Structure formats: C-alpha cells, structure tokens
Amino acid sequence: MTSATDPILVLLDVTADGALASSAAGLLGAASGVGTPIALVVSTADGLADAAAALGAASVLVASPGEGFTVAAVDALAAAAELLRPDAILVSHSIEGREVAGRFAARTRSAIAVDAVGVARDAEGVTSQHSVYGGAYNVNAAVTFGAPVITIRQGSIDARAVAVASPRVVPLDVPASGRKSAVAGAIDATVVTSTRPELRGAAKVVSGGRGLGSEEQFALVEQLADVLGAAIGASRAAVDAGFIPQAHQVGQTGVSVSPQLYVALGISGAIQHRAGMQTAKTIVAINTDADAPIFGIADYGVVGDVFTVVPQLIAALEARKA
Ligand code: FAD
C-alpha cells in the first residue's frame, strides 16, 4: 500500500469526542525524522485522515474501533504491521497507548522500548532515547531483532513533520483475533469542565509543592497557571497534604510531563519529582531555600517566598497582556 522503503507505522490516539489526541503531532514528527510516517487511526470519526495528513502522515490506514477495549486496536495494529512491514512502530505513552503497545509486542513477540523522549536511526535500524534514573542519564536503546515498538512520552518531541496535501487513505481490513477483552456494561460519562489544558501533554505546567502551605494558599498556583494558560501540577507532598487531587501529581509515581515551560513553586526537587519533569525544555523554580535541589536543574531560579514573588509575577504578566 506504500512504496516507501522506510515506513514507520504510527498509531494515533483518538479522543472520546472523535478528534486526534494532542500527542499526534509529536508522534508523526518523530516518525518523519527516521522514515516515512504512515498513520493508523482506529476510529471512523470524520476528518481524522485529513488531520493526520496535516501533521505529516504520508498515508493513513483507517480501521473500525470494534467492540471492547484495546483488543480492536491491537488487532488493527497487527494487521497494519503485517501489511506494511514497518521499520518501527510508534505509539503514544498514554494509558491506552501503553496497553496497546504492550499487548501488541507480546502477541507478535516484538521488542518494546517504553517512554522514549526521542528516536533516531543508525545503520541497524530505529533506536530510541530515554531519560532514566530520574532524568540523571539519557540512554539510547536498540533492539536486536525485528522492528521495535516504541512508546513516546507526550510532549517530548519538538520536531514536526511537513503537512501532506493529499494523503493516501486506505480502509484497513482487520481480521478479528477474538482475543478476550474487557467490555463496558454501561458508561456514565463524567463531564469535567475546565478551561485549563490537560496536564499530560501540556505545553506549560505550573506546579506547587508543600511550600504552598495549605489548600487555600494553593490557589496561588492556579492563578499563575491561568495567567500563563498552563496546566496545574503538584508534588507528592502537596497531594498527600490534600492541597490538590492526586491526578495532578508529577513524578515517579505520578504523571511524567515534558512541557516547553515548567514552573516549580515551593518544590524542593526530590529525585522522585524530577523523574517526572526533568525533560521540560525550560524550568523555572521559586523557593526560599537557595540550596534546594530544584535549583540544580532550573534554567531560571528565584530564591524567594512564593507569596511575595508570584503575585508580582502575575501582575507583571497581566500588565504585559493589557
Ligand atoms: P518538600 O521537600 O517539603 O519541599 C518544600 C519546599 O518548599 C522546600 O524546598 C522549601 O524550601 C520550599 N518552601 C517552603 N515555603 C516556601 C515559600 N513560602 N516560598 C517558596 N518556597 C518555599 N514526589 C513527587 O513530587 N512525585 C512523585 O511522583 C513522588 N513519588 C515518590 C515515590 C516514592 C517511592 C517515594 C519514596 C517518594 C516519592 N515522592 C514523590 C516524594 C518525594 O521524595 C518528596 O518527598 C516530595 O517530592 C517533596 O515534595 P515537596 O518538594 O513539595 O516538599
């Protein structure tokens, strides 16, 4: 279906309301750096092929979502891989992407590299880059057989592919594997209305730590986030103290983020926190303790009280907007 000699199969996540997930641009950008990106969307929602092409997919395979969770996506990925014989398979390191990638790799006996922050190509094939041990080391991983399945950390890829004007759109015939799958008996949708971006994949994140002191005072983090149009993160200490729900926790046992801008307010910078944010492009830290480890990785640091510095920062940002 493609004449490309270097196809990279890219599974794109689709949101509940039938749009491409924000991870799509980075995945296709990464693929374009090592080969020809061929997208797979497991959804029949309108406009997805054009959206994928606008982000650089040379061809788009479209498969039906089928019944049950995950298995239809794994079936589609298996059919697409069989058809294309790609040099690598890229999948988002989202919750769903991780499950599909893991199941696919187990089913096809493929090697898998997870949570990559970059991909490259050497004489042997496609390799992946990983930020490990709390961001203390960057390592390259290469598989010794077959095409690697690589999950990519959301927000970690800056490269963007050139838009494709007229992509080839191919309906994918997927033989159902009949593997067991969880099926939802009923779905009760919870509508969360927020004008803030989602933490995973956000371009800007403002996080607060124990230094905020209380749930009420944590509002300062929200105020700065809103002025910057940023998502809200937190340290585990802030979560454990009840300042903010656990879904906002950044770090080893929370969410990993790779935003363009990460602002750490009243966070010491323990290794478990750094593990989830050290790959941010620009890190700004505000902390009263000049010896706090967060300053060791910050691009810009302010030694000061958040309750003095942040209101001034908000005022300055608002004055600039006016
Ligand atoms: P603290 O370390 O108490 O730091 C608070 C900071 O605020 C201090 O540096 C202080 O100088 C500063 N401060 C105080 N008042 C002010 C003020 N008014 N203005 C400015 N600065 C002020 N942590 C995570 O974050 N994410 C994880 O996923 C995670 N997973 C973990 C997993 C394991 C297995 C373990 C053992 C720990 C984990 N932790 C995690 C906890 C981690 O070790 C730290 O305890 C935690 O990150 C500390 O949070 P903190 O920086 O908010 O608090």
Side-chain angles (χ1 to χ4, degrees), residues 208-213 217 220 234-240 243 246 249-255 262 264-277 286-295 302-310:
R210 200 195 317 257
L212 270 297
Q217 294 183 157
L220 190 65
S235 70
R236 178 159 148 185
V239 169
D240 288 350
F243 300 171
Q246 202 274 338
Q249 182 177 319
V250 171
Q252 184 185 320
T253 43
V255 174
Y262 189 89
L265 305 177
I267 292 178
S268 60
I271 188 161
Q272 296 89 354
H273 186 78
R274 298 203 309 262
M277 46 66 72
I286 303 175
N287 196 306
T288 42
D289 176 7
D291 295 324
I294 192 79
F295 288 127
V302 179
V303 179
D305 188 322
V306 288
F307 301 107
T308 311
V309 177
V310 176

Side-chain angles (χ1 to χ4, degrees), residues 23-309:
S23 54
L27 284 168
L28 290 165
S32 71
V34 292
T36 304
I38 312 291
L40 167 63
V41 288
V42 187
S43 166
T44 46
D46 286 340
L48 293 179
D50 286 343
L55 296 173
S59 306
V60 184
L61 300 165
V62 180
S64 161
E67 295 284 306
F69 294 115
T70 317
V71 167
V74 181
D75 290 351
L77 198 54
E82 182 68 29
L83 184 68
L84 285 177
R85 305 267 164 203
D87 290 351
I89 295 155
L90 306 189
V91 180
S92 172
H93 195 68
S94 60
I95 292 170
E96 193 186 332
R98 276 179 257 177
E99 188 174 347
V100 173
R103 281 177 176 245
F104 171 80
R107 196 195 284 183
T108 58
R109 301 275 184 268
S110 302
I112 185 166
V114 299
D115 199 19
V117 294
V119 290
R121 193 185 261 281
D122 66 14
E124 315 261 311
V126 176
T127 61
S128 51
Q129 291 138 17
H130 304 259
S131 171
V132 300
Y133 294 125
Y137 296 93
N138 290 322
V139 297
N140 292 321
V143 304
T144 51
F145 62 93
V149 180
I150 303 171
T151 68
I152 306 260
R153 185 182 295 185
Q154 293 169 72
S156 63
I157 308 287
D158 286 336
R160 293 293 178 263
V162 177
V164 173
S166 47
R168 193 147 174 237
V169 180
V170 182
L172 186 65
D173 190 18
V174 180
S177 64
R179 306 272 171 134
K180 283 193 181 148
S181 134
V183 178
I187 293 178
D188 192 4
T190 306
V191 181
V192 180
T193 40
S194 171
T195 52
R196 297 189 183 116
E198 216 215 324
L199 180 57
R200 248 177 241 274
K204 297 175 197 166
V205 175
V206 178
S207 283
R210 200 195 317 257
L212 270 297
S214 69
E215 186 181 353
E216 293 69 37
Q217 294 183 157
F218 200 87
L220 190 65
V221 177
E222 298 172 12
Q223 286 161 21
L224 179 58
D226 288 345
V227 177
L228 289 169
I232 293 177
S235 70
R236 178 159 148 185
V239 169
D240 288 350
F243 300 171
I244 178 121
Q246 202 274 338
H248 294 270
Q249 182 177 319
V250 171
Q252 184 185 320
T253 43
V255 174
S256 288
V257 295
S258 257
Q260 295 296 321
L261 173 68
Y262 189 89
V263 183
L265 305 177
I267 292 178
S268 60
I271 188 161
Q272 296 89 354
H273 186 78
R274 298 203 309 262
M277 46 66 72
Q278 189 146 343
T279 52
K281 308 296 175 300
T282 301
I283 298 170
V284 177
I286 303 175
N287 196 306
T288 42
D289 176 7
D291 295 324
I294 192 79
F295 288 127
I297 57 161
D299 299 284
Y300 300 94
V302 179
V303 179
D305 188 322
V306 288
F307 301 107
T308 311
V309 177

